[in-house]
Amino acid sequence: MALLFEDRRSRGVEPVSSPLTTHVLDTASGSPAWSFCLCLSRLEVHGQQWTELGKSYTDPEGRCPGLLPPGHMKAGTYKLFFDTEGYWRKRGQESFYPYVEVVFTITNETHKVHVPLLLSPWSYTTYRGS
C-alpha cells in the first residue's frame, strides 16, 4: 500500500499545501491538540473497501498539514480517523470515545476542504470549515 502522506516531524520536511486540512482543538484545556494521531482513508467504489491514504500527527497548532498532496484529491467518500483514546491516555485522562471517525464526501476536487474536530474527553463536534 502506497501512502500519500507520511509523518514528516522527524525528517524536518516542510509539508506542501494540501487541498484537505484538519485542525484538532482540545476544548477541555482551550488549546490545540498537539501530537494527535489520525489516519485518512478513501472509500473505493469497486468492492466498497476503505483504502488508507496515510497516517500523521497534528503539529503544535493542532493542524495536520500535508494530509493530501496537491493533485491527489478526487471526488469520493473519505474518512478521517482520530485516535482520541491515545490522545487522552497520554494526558492521564479517560475518554468516553475511543476514537472518532468523520466520514465526508468530496464532490469537487478543485475546492479546498477543511474538517476541524473540537474535542473533550466527553464530547466532540465537527463541521465543514473554510
Side-chain angles (χ1 to χ4, degrees):
M1 158 182 46
L3 298 182
L4 293 178
F5 71 91
E6 60 187 80
D7 181 9
R8 299 171 185 220
R9 293 178 303 172
S10 61
R11 294 188 18 222
V13 175
E14 192 64 32
V16 295
S17 177
S18 176
L20 173 62
T21 57
T22 189
H23 190 194
V24 184
L25 297 172
D26 178 339
T27 59
S29 69
S31 60
W34 179 60
S35 193
F36 196 108
C37 182
L38 59 106
C39 295
L40 174 67
S41 299
R42 181 172 46 228
L43 186 63
E44 300 302 330
V45 177
H46 305 294
Q48 294 293 305
Q49 297 275 2
W50 288 105
T51 299
E52 186 175 300
L53 302 177
K55 175 180 175 180
S56 194
Y57 295 84
T58 55
D59 65 15
E61 286 85 40
R63 298 182 185 278
C64 192
L67 267 179
L68 201 56
H72 283 89
M73 187 157 71
K74 60 184 183 181
T77 302
Y78 289 78
K79 174 173 62 176
L80 278 169
F81 172 93
F82 297 90
D83 179 17
T84 54
E85 185 174 54
Y87 174 78
W88 293 115
R89 186 182 313 118
K90 285 189 282 187
R91 284 148 185 80
Q93 174 75 45
E94 286 187 28
S95 174
F96 182 69
Y97 299 101
Y99 60 89
V100 171
E101 289 184 329
V102 179
V103 178
F104 54 97
T105 302
I106 293 174
T107 56
N108 186 333
E109 53 277 308
T110 63
H111 292 164
K112 289 194 176 256
V113 176
H114 183 62
V115 184
L117 179 69
L118 288 77
L119 179 71
S120 84
W122 316 279
S123 68
Y124 70 89
T125 189
T126 186
Y127 57 93
R128 164 109 193 238
S130 57

